[in-house]
């Protein structure tokens, strides 16, 4: 069966490029210029109905500058602007308005980092992972919920939904394959994501409520642009090692190659 999988992959990958192209957000990075501006951002208003009591937010981030407290992700609602914030160090992370005790060291610049935040109301536990390793955790109050109806901004920290940015908090760097899941991912799942590498591009999961394509298709302002991640279609092959041929696997290959 594994031989058949390899055969299918080879047949698909050698098909002329004009008949199938790798779709979705593969190899597409959002770049925020090092020269800061309040005009550089991406905005979207996701439906957070399914993540009110459990979620994970994972992606790849490259930082250009570490002066000040700079934030690459923020979620704000009319009732509170600091619902979810991720910055250039673990200590700048906020969830439901509270900070998480974490190392103050800022992430290294000009290299890719895999970052993943996970939480569930049932366990009350929020955890932050960097490059597959847990670096911080904290308990949230009983019956905590993520409010719906807010705005996600990439590249800026919001003091009101979709605006009230501060140049001293603006982000310069790159973001890739950011996804929001409707459940709390396990430590092993997060480690596997990191170990697979940024060029791995698995089939879309039913647990994903906001995928990378949603961010790429969202409102984009200023000098934010798409650049190459430096990945090739051959990097995707390792996603299928050991898998059996199924209708969903074939559909994924036909859709993405």
């Amino acid at each position: 069966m594994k031989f058949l999988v390899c055969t299918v992959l080879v047949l698909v990958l050698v098909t002329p490029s004009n008949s199938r192209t790798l779709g979705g957000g593969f190899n597409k990075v959002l770049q925020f210029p090092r020269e800061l501006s309040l005009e550089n951002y991406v905005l979207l208003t996701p439906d957070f109905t399914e993540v009110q009591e459990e979620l994970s937010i994972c992606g790849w981030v490259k930082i250009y500058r570490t002066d000040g407290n700079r934030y690459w992700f923020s979620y704000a609602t009319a009732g509170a602007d600091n619902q979810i914030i991720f910055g250039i160090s673990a200590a700048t992370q906020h969830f439901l308005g509270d900070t998480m005790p974490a190392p103050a060291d800022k992430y290294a610049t000009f290299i890719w980092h895999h970052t993943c935040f996970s939480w569930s109301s049932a366990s009350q536990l929020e955890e932050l992972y960097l490059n597959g390793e847990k670096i911080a955790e904290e308990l949230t109050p009983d019956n905590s919920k993520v409010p719906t109806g807010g705005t996600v901004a990439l590249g800026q920290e919001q003091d009101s939904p979709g605006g009230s940015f501060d140049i001293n908090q603006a982000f310069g760097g790159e973001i890739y394959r950011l996804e929001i899941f409707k459940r709390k991912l396990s430590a092993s799942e997060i480690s596997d994501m990191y170990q697979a590498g940024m060029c791995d591009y698995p089939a879309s999961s039913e647990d994903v409520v906001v995928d990378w394509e949603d961010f790429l298709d969202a409102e984009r302002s200023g000098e934010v642009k798409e650049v190459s991640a430096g990945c090739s279609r051959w990097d995707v092959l390792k996603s299928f090692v050991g898998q059996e041929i199924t209708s969903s696997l074939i559909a994924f290959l036909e859709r993405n190659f």
Side-chain angles (χ1 to χ4, degrees):
M1 188 64 74
K2 292 180 183 180
F3 172 76
L4 291 176
V5 172
C6 293
T7 302
V8 171
L9 287 170
V10 170
L11 287 174
V12 171
L13 289 170
V14 299
T15 303
S17 59
N18 60 357
S19 62
R20 286 192 181 99
T21 58
L22 192 60
F26 179 76
N27 201 42
K28 296 177 182 178
V29 167
L30 286 177
Q31 182 186 57
F32 297 76
R34 189 179 189 283
E35 183 176 347
L36 302 175
S37 169
L38 296 180
E39 300 301 317
N40 296 335
Y41 58 82
V42 172
L43 292 181
L44 69 162
T45 52
D47 181 0
F48 271 7
T49 304
E50 294 186 282
V51 301
Q52 288 188 274
E53 298 182 2
E54 190 171 8
L55 87 164
S56 298
I57 303 174
C58 304
W60 294 84
V61 180
K62 182 189 292 186
I63 297 163
Y64 289 170
R65 53 193 304 162
T66 57
D67 54 321
N69 288 324
R70 308 208 170 275
Y71 300 95
W72 58 271
F73 179 102
S74 64
Y75 176 64
T77 65
D81 56 318
N82 291 334
Q83 294 291 351
I84 307 174
I85 305 176
F86 301 132
I88 58 174
S89 75
T92 57
Q93 182 268 335
H94 289 66
F95 182 64
L96 302 182
D98 292 327
T99 58
M100 177 188 295
D105 296 341
K106 294 178 178 177
Y107 304 150
T109 54
F110 298 101
I111 62 172
W112 284 106
H113 300 278
H114 184 258
T115 178
C116 197
F117 171 84
S118 66
W119 164 82
S120 76
S121 180
S123 68
Q124 299 180 252
L125 183 64
E126 56 174 314
E127 299 173 303
L128 184 65
Y129 292 78
L130 182 69
N131 298 330
E133 298 289 335
K134 183 164 65 175
I135 59 173
E137 66 178 18
E138 178 71 309
L139 292 177
T140 56
D142 288 340
N143 304 314
S144 295
K145 282 190 176 183
V146 175
T148 59
T151 299
V152 168
L154 301 185
Q156 303 284 348
E157 194 279 311
Q158 309 167 79
D159 285 335
S160 63
S164 301
F165 304 142
D166 182 341
I167 193 65
N168 296 310
Q169 298 175 327
F171 173 71
E174 301 174 21
I175 302 173
Y176 181 51
R177 281 189 55 207
L178 180 63
E179 294 181 313
I180 301 176
F181 300 79
K182 63 181 180 182
R183 67 179 179 87
K184 187 180 190 300
L185 299 181
S186 68
S188 61
E189 288 175 308
I190 294 169
S191 177
D192 287 346
M193 281 184 181
Y194 169 66
Q195 294 297 331
M198 62 179 290
C199 289
D200 181 59
Y201 209 80
S204 180
S205 166
E206 62 181 13
D207 292 323
V208 175
V209 294
V210 183
D211 66 17
W212 183 229
E213 291 182 57
D214 293 322
F215 288 104
L216 292 173
D217 293 340
E219 176 189 347
R220 195 182 306 175
S221 174
E223 299 300 317
V224 180
K225 61 182 181 180
E226 290 182 14
V227 298
S228 171
C231 302
S232 77
R233 62 169 55 196
W234 297 101
D235 293 308
V236 183
L237 280 172
K238 61 184 177 181
S239 299
F240 304 103
V241 173
Q243 291 191 29
E244 295 184 354
I245 295 177
T246 63
S247 58
S248 60
L249 172 58
I250 294 173
F252 175 76
L253 292 172
E254 290 178 340
R255 186 170 61 251
N256 288 285
F257 289 89

